[in-house]
Amino acid sequence: MEKIWKKLKLMKGAMKELNSREFSNAETKVQSFRKQLEDVQILLRTSLTSLTDQQVYDKEKEIKLNSEKWILVEESILRQKSRIQWLDWGIRIQLSSTPL
């Protein structure tokens, strides 16, 4: 059991680094994909592009999928932050109302 604990302890740093590298800028990625989607949709409306319509539609579909993925990631992050705040708030209320 101690070996498992030590291995998990060693992995913690790498997992934190991976998490911060991949998900720390989720809001920026969502904004970027929204801007890209807006640009592609403008191209579709004006039809002033060198790409064929099918290529533009494929690009739009790809951007939509990435956008949806990062919106869900951002939503999950916000849910976790909210949960942490509620727990912290509940602990503070409990500690302030408990006589010592």
Side-chain angles (χ1 to χ4, degrees), residues 15-28:
M15 294 300 287
K16 278 190 164 194
E17 180 187 335
L18 175 68
N19 186 38
S20 65
R21 185 179 61 223
E22 293 295 321
F23 300 111
S24 65
N25 55 356
E27 185 177 337
T28 307

Side-chain angles (χ1 to χ4, degrees), residues 38-79:
E38 183 181 320
D39 293 344
V40 168
Q41 288 175 342
I42 288 171
L43 281 175
L44 284 171
R45 275 190 239 124
T46 59
S47 297
L48 298 174
T49 179
S50 62
L51 301 173
T52 65
D53 284 343
Q54 187 60 42
Q55 288 174 323
V56 177
Y57 286 124
D58 291 343
K59 182 72 173 170
E60 180 188 29
K61 185 177 180 179
E62 178 186 339
I63 293 171
K64 278 184 179 181
L65 291 174
N66 283 329
S67 178
E68 289 172 2
K69 171 191 164 191
W70 284 102
I71 287 171
L72 291 174
V73 167
E74 183 183 33
E75 185 179 311
S76 174
I77 290 169
L78 292 173
R79 240 189 257 122

